[in-house]
Amino acid sequence: MIHRPSIEIEYAMLAPKPFLFERAYNVGKAIKEHQRLEEILKGEGVRVRRLESEIIENAERSEDFRRKLIEYITQNVHFYGKVDEVKAAMQDLKKNLERLDSATIFDYMVLEPSIDLKTDYENRAVYPTVYSNIPLANLYFMRDQQAVADSGVIIGNMKRDQRKKETEITEFLFRNTLGVSNIFKIPSNSHFEGGDFMPARDFSLIGVGLRTDLNGAFSAMHSGMITTDEVVLVENPSYDFSKEDNMVNMHLDTYFNIAGDGIAVTSEYLASRAKTTIYGRSSNGNYERVGETTLLEYMRSKGFNIIDLTIPEQLAYSSNFLTIRDRRILAVDVKSVISRLISDGAFDPVTEDIVKRELPKIGENIFPERNDVSEAGIEYVNAELIELTGGYGGAHCMTATLNRE
């Protein structure tokens, strides 16, 4: 599942940081990058669903679905002003929505507008001031709203207010469009985001840190959706020089990923600092704590070979690739992203100095164009994503896996 970014990201370009973006970027080029991402996935034999297309097309086909969609909009579009004017406006909205095309209704879904009705008594007129509560500019990072586990879907609860509404949209989609019934919703007092979930056949990893908290991790682990032999909670680490809540340790997939059977890609430095607690599945189906280690040692104990990332590579989303199939990945253009981050001044002065000192040491040997990557039998497709990574994520973040083989 993907979502083509549209009008909502234009708001984020006005103030990237408050929208949780790393930097501003060219929206037109970004949309072309996303179109190319979809083309690559389809060319690799992946069935791709687009969020907006699924909702719009189902609204056109099904009167029942369209009714549910309109109900969602009426609950999330708000009017302010005199009581009688607000009441009349809501009544008009319900009638008008019946006449609108489904694409326009979808735009209201992601913009969530509010209208302040101000009365001009002298001219006997009402003037509207339109606000968009929090346009869902991060919605194109489709990984985070949920996690698709082996026995069902876990609908997350996003930590940041800028993203909280996203899970309502994806849950609406799963329940009403995709027909998924086996769904667990993270409680409101817990936080869990899909970028912190990494399944790996007989074990599952859940990152814990600034976005997913312990309550959220435990809720996911005991949801009944995860049935692997072990569930491993990983405390997302950081560099000594890094500032709080930057992309270094936002999610597990910002510094760790699995490229194929027995191959993990990560910063060994970060993975060695990532405290890891292992929970084993008991005979009654519950998970019980069985030990502690580090992420690096745990993966080695499972027989994984490690491809180590340098600081510049990790900061440029090298680990945020999408594994299409065993040892074939869809990666960002890491070289170009590093150059862009430096030229745009995206790093703080300390980080930029470290990156510039590290780059001459690695030269042109930058992930995934490295000898150890090819020697491990890993093939890669360059998805570029130079613009779209400005929202703090790569191909993994931008895709929600619905089915795995």
Side-chain angles (χ1 to χ4, degrees), residues 54-185:
E54 292 292 325
I55 290 177
I56 292 169
E57 290 170 9
N58 274 274
E60 295 297 311
R61 286 195 302 262
S62 167
E63 289 185 9
D64 181 62
F65 180 83
R66 183 176 168 87
R67 178 182 55 79
K68 291 178 181 178
L69 181 60
I70 288 175
E71 286 177 0
Y72 180 93
I73 299 302
T74 57
Q75 292 169 5
N76 288 278
V77 173
H78 303 286
F79 292 91
Y80 301 95
K82 294 175 62 177
V83 174
D84 57 338
E85 290 170 352
V86 168
K87 184 178 179 180
M90 281 301 301
Q91 290 173 344
D92 284 343
L93 174 66
K94 291 176 182 179
K95 288 188 296 183
N96 294 336
L97 286 171
E98 297 292 343
R99 302 185 181 97
L100 298 181
D101 62 281
S102 301
T104 298
I105 295 174
F106 178 80
D107 284 343
Y108 295 152
M109 202 176 200
V110 298
L111 293 177
E112 197 176 315
S114 295
I115 302 173
D116 189 1
L117 303 171
K118 297 179 179 179
T119 303
D120 181 346
Y121 293 100
E122 183 178 347
N123 293 303
R124 297 181 181 181
V126 175
Y127 295 100
T129 301
V130 181
Y131 305 93
S132 187
N133 291 341
I134 301 180
L136 302 182
N138 292 274
L139 186 60
Y140 75 93
F141 292 120
M142 287 292 296
R143 178 73 50 171
D144 298 331
Q145 302 89 359
Q146 66 286 308
V148 178
D150 44 326
S151 292
V153 176
I154 303 168
I155 299 294
N157 182 28
M158 313 291 274
K159 181 70 174 286
R160 293 302 192 92
D161 287 344
Q162 293 94 322
R163 303 199 65 182
K164 281 189 177 295
K165 281 285 185 177
E166 295 176 30
T167 56
E168 293 184 12
I169 294 177
T170 57
E171 182 181 4
F172 182 89
L173 178 76
F174 277 105
R175 292 189 186 278
N176 299 299
T177 302
L178 303 182
V180 177
S181 57
N182 206 18
I183 293 176
F184 176 85
K185 193 171 181 179

Side-chain angles (χ1 to χ4, degrees), residues 140-145 163 195 250-251 253-254 320-321 392-400:
Y140 75 93
F141 292 120
M142 287 292 296
R143 178 73 50 171
D144 298 331
Q145 302 89 359
R163 303 199 65 182
M250 184 196 308
H251 291 132
D253 66 0
T254 62
N320 206 256
F321 55 80
Y392 269 130
H396 193 265
C397 283
M398 295 177 202
T399 52

